[in-house]
Amino acid sequence: MQHAAHVRGLIRQGRWASHTSGLASDHVQGNVVILPSADASDFLRYCQRNPKPCPVLAVSEPGQASLPTLGADIDICTDLPRYRVWRDGELVDQPTDISSLWRKDLVTFVIGCSFSFEQALMEAGLKLRHVEQGKNVAMFRTNIATEAAGPFRGPLVVSMRPMKAAAAIRAVQVTSRFPNVHGAPVHIGDPSLIGITDLSRPDYGDAVEVMPDELPVFWACGVTPQAAIQQARPGLCITHAPGAMLITDLLNNQLASF
């Protein structure tokens, strides 16, 4: 088993710059959104109104790069494998270190990630193809609108895992215990009903094959804020690159509701 602090150390040293699916699998991983304090209150309301895709695990003080409730040594400027830098809603860079961009007014939000419930799925005997193949999970923009807050609005983004019908039922039971990391699926079956036209072409992440005897199972995804950021167009925003999460010291089983 990999320890979270060890994996963060590798990331901080620039020795890992890929997705974090399957790394430190006992530990909670988080999506990251960093905004100026002037935009932070609207974004917090957006998360509160959309708890399924945006379950907040932690919010920093302005200018604070540490997140002591998630890990004693976390430095948000260095501890993600890859970041996305947005200016006026446009993606302008994908660095591996944001120390040079840090400002005293920046507020960090850490949002629950479906990678955290994958351990519970695998412990329940459910196979996850993207993990077996060493891929990032497939993620798609849907035609389901999130509830707006101030300038933040946009479509729900979902992650997809193919499963046989019996496994899908079991997955609902398992993931419903983890509301802080997206909870139960939002849709099972026909992707066109939620506006997805081609499962072989995800908007984020890597495509995985859905076999003829399988159903696509869709969970709300913490990449949803990136779609809202493109709508809100804040002067500066920094996020994780899809799949490149913050690995915390929290254990996944600490988030189980029962």
Side-chain angles (χ1 to χ4, degrees), residues 174-210:
V174 171
T175 57
S176 65
R177 298 177 56 229
F178 293 89
N180 288 331
V181 286
H182 307 307
V186 295
H187 184 69
I188 298 175
D190 187 352
S192 67
L193 296 178
I194 55 173
I196 299 170
T197 58
D198 188 350
L199 289 179
S200 69
R201 299 181 64 184
D203 294 295
Y204 316 93
D206 301 321
V208 292
E209 188 176 3
V210 181

PDB file of all heavy atoms in Angstrom, residues 174-210:
ATOM      1  N   VAL A 174     -23.073   0.305  -2.871  1.00  0.00           N
ATOM      2  CA  VAL A 174     -21.781   0.654  -2.276  1.00  0.00           C
ATOM      3  C   VAL A 174     -21.567   2.160  -2.255  1.00  0.00           C
ATOM      4  O   VAL A 174     -21.223   2.751  -1.223  1.00  0.00           O
ATOM      5  CB  VAL A 174     -20.639  -0.043  -3.037  1.00  0.00           C
ATOM      6  CG1 VAL A 174     -19.278   0.484  -2.574  1.00  0.00           C
ATOM      7  CG2 VAL A 174     -20.703  -1.557  -2.842  1.00  0.00           C
ATOM      8  N   THR A 175     -21.764   2.822  -3.392  1.00  0.00           N
ATOM      9  CA  THR A 175     -21.410   4.243  -3.483  1.00  0.00           C
ATOM     10  C   THR A 175     -22.420   5.156  -2.802  1.00  0.00           C
ATOM     11  O   THR A 175     -22.088   6.297  -2.467  1.00  0.00           O
ATOM     12  CB  THR A 175     -21.217   4.672  -4.945  1.00  0.00           C
ATOM     13  OG1 THR A 175     -22.415   4.399  -5.688  1.00  0.00           O
ATOM     14  CG2 THR A 175     -20.059   3.921  -5.578  1.00  0.00           C
ATOM     15  N   SER A 176     -23.636   4.662  -2.553  1.00  0.00           N
ATOM     16  CA  SER A 176     -24.596   5.489  -1.811  1.00  0.00           C
ATOM     17  C   SER A 176     -24.123   5.768  -0.385  1.00  0.00           C
ATOM     18  O   SER A 176     -24.602   6.700   0.262  1.00  0.00           O
ATOM     19  CB  SER A 176     -25.966   4.813  -1.783  1.00  0.00           C
ATOM     20  OG  SER A 176     -25.916   3.597  -1.055  1.00  0.00           O
ATOM     21  N   ARG A 177     -23.150   4.989   0.090  1.00  0.00           N
ATOM     22  CA  ARG A 177     -22.590   5.191   1.432  1.00  0.00           C
ATOM     23  C   ARG A 177     -21.576   6.336   1.465  1.00  0.00           C
ATOM     24  O   ARG A 177     -21.082   6.669   2.539  1.00  0.00           O
ATOM     25  CB  ARG A 177     -21.918   3.905   1.917  1.00  0.00           C
ATOM     26  CG  ARG A 177     -22.840   2.720   2.065  1.00  0.00           C
ATOM     27  CD  ARG A 177     -22.083   1.474   2.481  1.00  0.00           C
ATOM     28  NE  ARG A 177     -21.337   1.707   3.721  1.00  0.00           N
ATOM     29  CZ  ARG A 177     -20.048   1.390   3.893  1.00  0.00           C
ATOM     30  NH1 ARG A 177     -19.351   0.846   2.904  1.00  0.00           N
ATOM     31  NH2 ARG A 177     -19.448   1.627   5.050  1.00  0.00           N
ATOM     32  N   PHE A 178     -21.261   6.923   0.304  1.00  0.00           N
ATOM     33  CA  PHE A 178     -20.200   7.923   0.223  1.00  0.00           C
ATOM     34  C   PHE A 178     -20.705   9.235  -0.380  1.00  0.00           C
ATOM     35  O   PHE A 178     -20.255   9.662  -1.444  1.00  0.00           O
ATOM     36  CB  PHE A 178     -19.036   7.370  -0.603  1.00  0.00           C
ATOM     37  CG  PHE A 178     -18.319   6.217   0.040  1.00  0.00           C
ATOM     38  CD1 PHE A 178     -18.735   4.918  -0.176  1.00  0.00           C
ATOM     39  CD2 PHE A 178     -17.241   6.430   0.890  1.00  0.00           C
ATOM     40  CE1 PHE A 178     -18.098   3.849   0.425  1.00  0.00           C
ATOM     41  CE2 PHE A 178     -16.587   5.374   1.501  1.00  0.00           C
ATOM     42  CZ  PHE A 178     -17.022   4.078   1.270  1.00  0.00           C
ATOM     43  N   PRO A 179     -21.638   9.920   0.302  1.00  0.00           N
ATOM     44  CA  PRO A 179     -22.167  11.165  -0.251  1.00  0.00           C
ATOM     45  C   PRO A 179     -21.124  12.272  -0.385  1.00  0.00           C
ATOM     46  O   PRO A 179     -21.277  13.172  -1.214  1.00  0.00           O
ATOM     47  CB  PRO A 179     -23.272  11.554   0.742  1.00  0.00           C
ATOM     48  CG  PRO A 179     -22.887  10.872   2.026  1.00  0.00           C
ATOM     49  CD  PRO A 179     -22.255   9.577   1.595  1.00  0.00           C
ATOM     50  N   ASN A 180     -20.047  12.216   0.417  1.00  0.00           N
ATOM     51  CA  ASN A 180     -19.010  13.246   0.339  1.00  0.00           C
ATOM     52  C   ASN A 180     -18.081  13.075  -0.850  1.00  0.00           C
ATOM     53  O   ASN A 180     -17.210  13.924  -1.094  1.00  0.00           O
ATOM     54  CB  ASN A 180     -18.180  13.266   1.620  1.00  0.00           C
ATOM     55  CG  ASN A 180     -18.949  13.840   2.795  1.00  0.00           C
ATOM     56  OD1 ASN A 180     -19.829  14.677   2.610  1.00  0.00           O
ATOM     57  ND2 ASN A 180     -18.642  13.390   3.989  1.00  0.00           N
ATOM     58  N   VAL A 181     -18.243  11.966  -1.584  1.00  0.00           N
ATOM     59  CA  VAL A 181     -17.465  11.767  -2.814  1.00  0.00           C
ATOM     60  C   VAL A 181     -18.411  11.316  -3.928  1.00  0.00           C
ATOM     61  O   VAL A 181     -18.211  10.309  -4.585  1.00  0.00           O
ATOM     62  CB  VAL A 181     -16.286  10.789  -2.612  1.00  0.00           C
ATOM     63  CG1 VAL A 181     -15.170  11.468  -1.825  1.00  0.00           C
ATOM     64  CG2 VAL A 181     -16.720   9.531  -1.871  1.00  0.00           C
ATOM     65  N   HIS A 182     -19.499  12.076  -4.088  1.00  0.00           N
ATOM     66  CA  HIS A 182     -20.469  11.969  -5.185  1.00  0.00           C
ATOM     67  C   HIS A 182     -21.587  10.968  -4.976  1.00  0.00           C
ATOM     68  O   HIS A 182     -22.594  11.008  -5.677  1.00  0.00           O
ATOM     69  CB  HIS A 182     -19.782  11.711  -6.537  1.00  0.00           C
ATOM     70  CG  HIS A 182     -18.705  12.688  -6.863  1.00  0.00           C
ATOM     71  ND1 HIS A 182     -18.917  14.055  -6.833  1.00  0.00           N
ATOM     72  CD2 HIS A 182     -17.412  12.518  -7.203  1.00  0.00           C
ATOM     73  CE1 HIS A 182     -17.797  14.676  -7.151  1.00  0.00           C
ATOM     74  NE2 HIS A 182     -16.863  13.763  -7.368  1.00  0.00           N
ATOM     75  N   GLY A 183     -21.455  10.023  -4.042  1.00  0.00           N
ATOM     76  CA  GLY A 183     -22.566   9.136  -3.740  1.00  0.00           C
ATOM     77  C   GLY A 183     -22.949   8.201  -4.874  1.00  0.00           C
ATOM     78  O   GLY A 183     -22.109   7.786  -5.678  1.00  0.00           O
ATOM     79  N   ALA A 184     -24.236   7.860  -4.946  1.00  0.00           N
ATOM     80  CA  ALA A 184     -24.730   6.889  -5.915  1.00  0.00           C
ATOM     81  C   ALA A 184     -24.723   7.465  -7.332  1.00  0.00           C
ATOM     82  O   ALA A 184     -24.651   8.687  -7.530  1.00  0.00           O
ATOM     83  CB  ALA A 184     -26.144   6.466  -5.539  1.00  0.00           C
ATOM     84  N   PRO A 185     -24.795   6.609  -8.357  1.00  0.00           N
ATOM     85  CA  PRO A 185     -24.826   7.098  -9.738  1.00  0.00           C
ATOM     86  C   PRO A 185     -25.999   8.027  -9.996  1.00  0.00           C
ATOM     87  O   PRO A 185     -27.043   7.938  -9.343  1.00  0.00           O
ATOM     88  CB  PRO A 185     -24.960   5.806 -10.566  1.00  0.00           C
ATOM     89  CG  PRO A 185     -24.457   4.721  -9.682  1.00  0.00           C
ATOM     90  CD  PRO A 185     -24.808   5.140  -8.278  1.00  0.00           C
ATOM     91  N   VAL A 186     -25.822   8.895 -10.997  1.00  0.00           N
ATOM     92  CA  VAL A 186     -26.910   9.787 -11.423  1.00  0.00           C
ATOM     93  C   VAL A 186     -27.649   9.225 -12.627  1.00  0.00           C
ATOM     94  O   VAL A 186     -28.754   9.669 -12.942  1.00  0.00           O
ATOM     95  CB  VAL A 186     -26.383  11.207 -11.742  1.00  0.00           C
ATOM     96  CG1 VAL A 186     -25.840  11.867 -10.477  1.00  0.00           C
ATOM     97  CG2 VAL A 186     -25.313  11.174 -12.834  1.00  0.00           C
ATOM     98  N   HIS A 187     -27.050   8.229 -13.312  1.00  0.00           N
ATOM     99  CA  HIS A 187     -27.700   7.655 -14.497  1.00  0.00           C
ATOM    100  C   HIS A 187     -27.062   6.306 -14.804  1.00  0.00           C
ATOM    101  O   HIS A 187     -25.851   6.122 -14.628  1.00  0.00           O
ATOM    102  CB  HIS A 187     -27.533   8.586 -15.701  1.00  0.00           C
ATOM    103  CG  HIS A 187     -28.249   8.121 -16.937  1.00  0.00           C
ATOM    104  ND1 HIS A 187     -29.617   8.103 -17.048  1.00  0.00           N
ATOM    105  CD2 HIS A 187     -27.775   7.633 -18.121  1.00  0.00           C
ATOM    106  CE1 HIS A 187     -29.961   7.642 -18.238  1.00  0.00           C
ATOM    107  NE2 HIS A 187     -28.862   7.340 -18.904  1.00  0.00           N
ATOM    108  N   ILE A 188     -27.896   5.384 -15.265  1.00  0.00           N
ATOM    109  CA  ILE A 188     -27.426   4.069 -15.711  1.00  0.00           C
ATOM    110  C   ILE A 188     -28.089   3.757 -17.047  1.00  0.00           C
ATOM    111  O   ILE A 188     -29.301   3.910 -17.197  1.00  0.00           O
ATOM    112  CB  ILE A 188     -27.775   2.965 -14.689  1.00  0.00           C
ATOM    113  CG1 ILE A 188     -27.092   3.240 -13.332  1.00  0.00           C
ATOM    114  CG2 ILE A 188     -27.359   1.591 -15.196  1.00  0.00           C
ATOM    115  CD1 ILE A 188     -27.480   2.258 -12.238  1.00  0.00           C
ATOM    116  N   GLY A 189     -27.278   3.340 -18.017  1.00  0.00           N
ATOM    117  CA  GLY A 189     -27.846   2.940 -19.300  1.00  0.00           C
ATOM    118  C   GLY A 189     -27.675   3.974 -20.390  1.00  0.00           C
ATOM    119  O   GLY A 189     -26.643   4.647 -20.455  1.00  0.00           O
ATOM    120  N   ASP A 190     -28.670   4.096 -21.254  1.00  0.00           N
ATOM    121  CA  ASP A 190     -28.628   4.874 -22.491  1.00  0.00           C
ATOM    122  C   ASP A 190     -27.985   6.249 -22.294  1.00  0.00           C
ATOM    123  O   ASP A 190     -28.575   7.144 -21.675  1.00  0.00           O
ATOM    124  CB  ASP A 190     -30.050   5.032 -23.022  1.00  0.00           C
ATOM    125  CG  ASP A 190     -30.096   5.685 -24.396  1.00  0.00           C
ATOM    126  OD1 ASP A 190     -29.051   6.158 -24.886  1.00  0.00           O
ATOM    127  OD2 ASP A 190     -31.185   5.712 -24.998  1.00  0.00           O
ATOM    128  N   PRO A 191     -26.780   6.464 -22.816  1.00  0.00           N
ATOM    129  CA  PRO A 191     -26.106   7.755 -22.603  1.00  0.00           C
ATOM    130  C   PRO A 191     -26.784   8.916 -23.315  1.00  0.00           C
ATOM    131  O   PRO A 191     -26.636  10.069 -22.892  1.00  0.00           O
ATOM    132  CB  PRO A 191     -24.693   7.513 -23.149  1.00  0.00           C
ATOM    133  CG  PRO A 191     -24.830   6.372 -24.093  1.00  0.00           C
ATOM    134  CD  PRO A 191     -25.929   5.514 -23.562  1.00  0.00           C
ATOM    135  N   SER A 192     -27.533   8.616 -24.392  1.00  0.00           N
ATOM    136  CA  SER A 192     -28.166   9.712 -25.141  1.00  0.00           C
ATOM    137  C   SER A 192     -29.214  10.435 -24.304  1.00  0.00           C
ATOM    138  O   SER A 192     -29.528  11.603 -24.572  1.00  0.00           O
ATOM    139  CB  SER A 192     -28.804   9.181 -26.426  1.00  0.00           C
ATOM    140  OG  SER A 192     -29.911   8.338 -26.138  1.00  0.00           O
ATOM    141  N   LEU A 193     -29.745   9.774 -23.283  1.00  0.00           N
ATOM    142  CA  LEU A 193     -30.755  10.400 -22.430  1.00  0.00           C
ATOM    143  C   LEU A 193     -30.173  11.533 -21.602  1.00  0.00           C
ATOM    144  O   LEU A 193     -30.927  12.379 -21.100  1.00  0.00           O
ATOM    145  CB  LEU A 193     -31.395   9.350 -21.514  1.00  0.00           C
ATOM    146  CG  LEU A 193     -32.190   8.245 -22.217  1.00  0.00           C
ATOM    147  CD1 LEU A 193     -32.720   7.244 -21.205  1.00  0.00           C
ATOM    148  CD2 LEU A 193     -33.341   8.840 -23.031  1.00  0.00           C
ATOM    149  N   ILE A 194     -28.861  11.566 -21.436  1.00  0.00           N
ATOM    150  CA  ILE A 194     -28.231  12.680 -20.714  1.00  0.00           C
ATOM    151  C   ILE A 194     -27.292  13.464 -21.644  1.00  0.00           C
ATOM    152  O   ILE A 194     -26.381  14.148 -21.185  1.00  0.00           O
ATOM    153  CB  ILE A 194     -27.499  12.202 -19.446  1.00  0.00           C
ATOM    154  CG1 ILE A 194     -26.466  11.113 -19.744  1.00  0.00           C
ATOM    155  CG2 ILE A 194     -28.508  11.693 -18.414  1.00  0.00           C
ATOM    156  CD1 ILE A 194     -25.600  10.733 -18.531  1.00  0.00           C
ATOM    157  N   GLY A 195     -27.526  13.327 -22.947  1.00  0.00           N
ATOM    158  CA  GLY A 195     -26.835  14.178 -23.909  1.00  0.00           C
ATOM    159  C   GLY A 195     -25.466  13.710 -24.347  1.00  0.00           C
ATOM    160  O   GLY A 195     -24.703  14.483 -24.936  1.00  0.00           O
ATOM    161  N   ILE A 196     -25.126  12.455 -24.086  1.00  0.00           N
ATOM    162  CA  ILE A 196     -23.823  11.918 -24.495  1.00  0.00           C
ATOM    163  C   ILE A 196     -24.017  11.117 -25.775  1.00  0.00           C
ATOM    164  O   ILE A 196     -24.799  10.164 -25.809  1.00  0.00           O
ATOM    165  CB  ILE A 196     -23.219  11.028 -23.386  1.00  0.00           C
ATOM    166  CG1 ILE A 196     -22.993  11.854 -22.116  1.00  0.00           C
ATOM    167  CG2 ILE A 196     -21.905  10.407 -23.847  1.00  0.00           C
ATOM    168  CD1 ILE A 196     -22.631  11.031 -20.907  1.00  0.00           C
ATOM    169  N   THR A 197     -23.321  11.492 -26.826  1.00  0.00           N
ATOM    170  CA  THR A 197     -23.546  10.882 -28.138  1.00  0.00           C
ATOM    171  C   THR A 197     -22.565   9.772 -28.485  1.00  0.00           C
ATOM    172  O   THR A 197     -22.874   8.905 -29.300  1.00  0.00           O
ATOM    173  CB  THR A 197     -23.490  11.949 -29.243  1.00  0.00           C
ATOM    174  OG1 THR A 197     -22.218  12.609 -29.205  1.00  0.00           O
ATOM    175  CG2 THR A 197     -24.597  12.983 -29.059  1.00  0.00           C
ATOM    176  N   ASP A 198     -21.376   9.777 -27.868  1.00  0.00           N
ATOM    177  CA  ASP A 198     -20.354   8.809 -28.270  1.00  0.00           C
ATOM    178  C   ASP A 198     -19.471   8.473 -27.072  1.00  0.00           C
ATOM    179  O   ASP A 198     -18.638   9.274 -26.656  1.00  0.00           O
ATOM    180  CB  ASP A 198     -19.499   9.388 -29.409  1.00  0.00           C
ATOM    181  CG  ASP A 198     -18.536   8.370 -30.007  1.00  0.00           C
ATOM    182  OD1 ASP A 198     -18.384   7.280 -29.428  1.00  0.00           O
ATOM    183  OD2 ASP A 198     -17.934   8.685 -31.056  1.00  0.00           O
ATOM    184  N   LEU A 199     -19.647   7.266 -26.523  1.00  0.00           N
ATOM    185  CA  LEU A 199     -18.871   6.870 -25.351  1.00  0.00           C
ATOM    186  C   LEU A 199     -17.396   6.647 -25.674  1.00  0.00           C
ATOM    187  O   LEU A 199     -16.566   6.605 -24.764  1.00  0.00           O
ATOM    188  CB  LEU A 199     -19.450   5.585 -24.749  1.00  0.00           C
ATOM    189  CG  LEU A 199     -20.806   5.720 -24.043  1.00  0.00           C
ATOM    190  CD1 LEU A 199     -21.268   4.362 -23.530  1.00  0.00           C
ATOM    191  CD2 LEU A 199     -20.737   6.725 -22.898  1.00  0.00           C
ATOM    192  N   SER A 200     -17.073   6.518 -26.943  1.00  0.00           N
ATOM    193  CA  SER A 200     -15.670   6.320 -27.318  1.00  0.00           C
ATOM    194  C   SER A 200     -14.905   7.632 -27.394  1.00  0.00           C
ATOM    195  O   SER A 200     -13.690   7.623 -27.628  1.00  0.00           O
ATOM    196  CB  SER A 200     -15.582   5.600 -28.667  1.00  0.00           C
ATOM    197  OG  SER A 200     -16.021   6.437 -29.726  1.00  0.00           O
ATOM    198  N   ARG A 201     -15.603   8.745 -27.160  1.00  0.00           N
ATOM    199  CA  ARG A 201     -14.952  10.058 -27.239  1.00  0.00           C
ATOM    200  C   ARG A 201     -15.289  10.887 -25.994  1.00  0.00           C
ATOM    201  O   ARG A 201     -16.085  11.821 -26.048  1.00  0.00           O
ATOM    202  CB  ARG A 201     -15.395  10.795 -28.505  1.00  0.00           C
ATOM    203  CG  ARG A 201     -15.037  10.058 -29.793  1.00  0.00           C
ATOM    204  CD  ARG A 201     -15.467  10.824 -31.013  1.00  0.00           C
ATOM    205  NE  ARG A 201     -14.766  12.089 -31.136  1.00  0.00           N
ATOM    206  CZ  ARG A 201     -15.017  13.000 -32.089  1.00  0.00           C
ATOM    207  NH1 ARG A 201     -15.971  12.782 -32.992  1.00  0.00           N
ATOM    208  NH2 ARG A 201     -14.327  14.119 -32.134  1.00  0.00           N
ATOM    209  N   PRO A 202     -14.678  10.541 -24.861  1.00  0.00           N
ATOM    210  CA  PRO A 202     -14.947  11.319 -23.639  1.00  0.00           C
ATOM    211  C   PRO A 202     -14.420  12.744 -23.759  1.00  0.00           C
ATOM    212  O   PRO A 202     -13.469  13.024 -24.497  1.00  0.00           O
ATOM    213  CB  PRO A 202     -14.203  10.539 -22.556  1.00  0.00           C
ATOM    214  CG  PRO A 202     -13.140   9.784 -23.280  1.00  0.00           C
ATOM    215  CD  PRO A 202     -13.712   9.457 -24.629  1.00  0.00           C
ATOM    216  N   ASP A 203     -15.058  13.647 -23.031  1.00  0.00           N
ATOM    217  CA  ASP A 203     -14.609  15.051 -23.014  1.00  0.00           C
ATOM    218  C   ASP A 203     -13.344  15.218 -22.188  1.00  0.00           C
ATOM    219  O   ASP A 203     -12.552  16.128 -22.426  1.00  0.00           O
ATOM    220  CB  ASP A 203     -15.722  15.940 -22.448  1.00  0.00           C
ATOM    221  CG  ASP A 203     -16.938  15.972 -23.351  1.00  0.00           C
ATOM    222  OD1 ASP A 203     -16.816  16.477 -24.479  1.00  0.00           O
ATOM    223  OD2 ASP A 203     -17.992  15.462 -22.938  1.00  0.00           O
ATOM    224  N   TYR A 204     -13.169  14.327 -21.209  1.00  0.00           N
ATOM    225  CA  TYR A 204     -11.975  14.337 -20.352  1.00  0.00           C
ATOM    226  C   TYR A 204     -11.621  12.879 -20.057  1.00  0.00           C
ATOM    227  O   TYR A 204     -12.466  11.994 -20.071  1.00  0.00           O
ATOM    228  CB  TYR A 204     -12.243  15.058 -19.024  1.00  0.00           C
ATOM    229  CG  TYR A 204     -13.003  16.356 -19.113  1.00  0.00           C
ATOM    230  CD1 TYR A 204     -14.386  16.378 -18.974  1.00  0.00           C
ATOM    231  CD2 TYR A 204     -12.347  17.568 -19.305  1.00  0.00           C
ATOM    232  CE1 TYR A 204     -15.102  17.569 -19.031  1.00  0.00           C
ATOM    233  CE2 TYR A 204     -13.041  18.766 -19.366  1.00  0.00           C
ATOM    234  CZ  TYR A 204     -14.418  18.759 -19.234  1.00  0.00           C
ATOM    235  OH  TYR A 204     -15.117  19.939 -19.288  1.00  0.00           O
ATOM    236  N   GLY A 205     -10.351  12.624 -19.756  1.00  0.00           N
ATOM    237  CA  GLY A 205      -9.946  11.271 -19.405  1.00  0.00           C
ATOM    238  C   GLY A 205      -9.765  10.383 -20.627  1.00  0.00           C
ATOM    239  O   GLY A 205      -9.621  10.862 -21.754  1.00  0.00           O
ATOM    240  N   ASP A 206      -9.800   9.070 -20.382  1.00  0.00           N
ATOM    241  CA  ASP A 206      -9.513   8.080 -21.426  1.00  0.00           C
ATOM    242  C   ASP A 206     -10.751   7.240 -21.718  1.00  0.00           C
ATOM    243  O   ASP A 206     -11.506   6.882 -20.813  1.00  0.00           O
ATOM    244  CB  ASP A 206      -8.386   7.142 -20.979  1.00  0.00           C
ATOM    245  CG  ASP A 206      -7.099   7.885 -20.655  1.00  0.00           C
ATOM    246  OD1 ASP A 206      -6.778   8.843 -21.393  1.00  0.00           O
ATOM    247  OD2 ASP A 206      -6.422   7.513 -19.679  1.00  0.00           O
ATOM    248  N   ALA A 207     -10.926   6.888 -22.972  1.00  0.00           N
ATOM    249  CA  ALA A 207     -12.036   6.021 -23.364  1.00  0.00           C
ATOM    250  C   ALA A 207     -11.792   4.599 -22.867  1.00  0.00           C
ATOM    251  O   ALA A 207     -10.665   4.111 -22.870  1.00  0.00           O
ATOM    252  CB  ALA A 207     -12.193   6.025 -24.881  1.00  0.00           C
ATOM    253  N   VAL A 208     -12.859   3.949 -22.412  1.00  0.00           N
ATOM    254  CA  VAL A 208     -12.817   2.526 -22.079  1.00  0.00           C
ATOM    255  C   VAL A 208     -13.972   1.841 -22.789  1.00  0.00           C
ATOM    256  O   VAL A 208     -15.053   2.419 -22.950  1.00  0.00           O
ATOM    257  CB  VAL A 208     -12.896   2.264 -20.558  1.00  0.00           C
ATOM    258  CG1 VAL A 208     -11.646   2.744 -19.858  1.00  0.00           C
ATOM    259  CG2 VAL A 208     -14.128   2.908 -19.951  1.00  0.00           C
ATOM    260  N   GLU A 209     -13.752   0.616 -23.214  1.00  0.00           N
ATOM    261  CA  GLU A 209     -14.761  -0.109 -23.985  1.00  0.00           C
ATOM    262  C   GLU A 209     -15.914  -0.562 -23.094  1.00  0.00           C
ATOM    263  O   GLU A 209     -15.707  -0.992 -21.962  1.00  0.00           O
ATOM    264  CB  GLU A 209     -14.114  -1.321 -24.655  1.00  0.00           C
ATOM    265  CG  GLU A 209     -15.025  -2.049 -25.629  1.00  0.00           C
ATOM    266  CD  GLU A 209     -14.325  -3.181 -26.351  1.00  0.00           C
ATOM    267  OE1 GLU A 209     -13.144  -3.432 -26.053  1.00  0.00           O
ATOM    268  OE2 GLU A 209     -14.968  -3.827 -27.215  1.00  0.00           O
ATOM    269  N   VAL A 210     -17.128  -0.448 -23.604  1.00  0.00           N
ATOM    270  CA  VAL A 210     -18.319  -0.988 -22.949  1.00  0.00           C
ATOM    271  C   VAL A 210     -18.727  -2.238 -23.716  1.00  0.00           C
ATOM    272  O   VAL A 210     -19.080  -2.170 -24.895  1.00  0.00           O
ATOM    273  CB  VAL A 210     -19.472   0.036 -22.929  1.00  0.00           C
ATOM    274  CG1 VAL A 210     -20.692  -0.542 -22.206  1.00  0.00           C
ATOM    275  CG2 VAL A 210     -19.033   1.336 -22.259  1.00  0.00           C
TER     276      VAL A 210
END
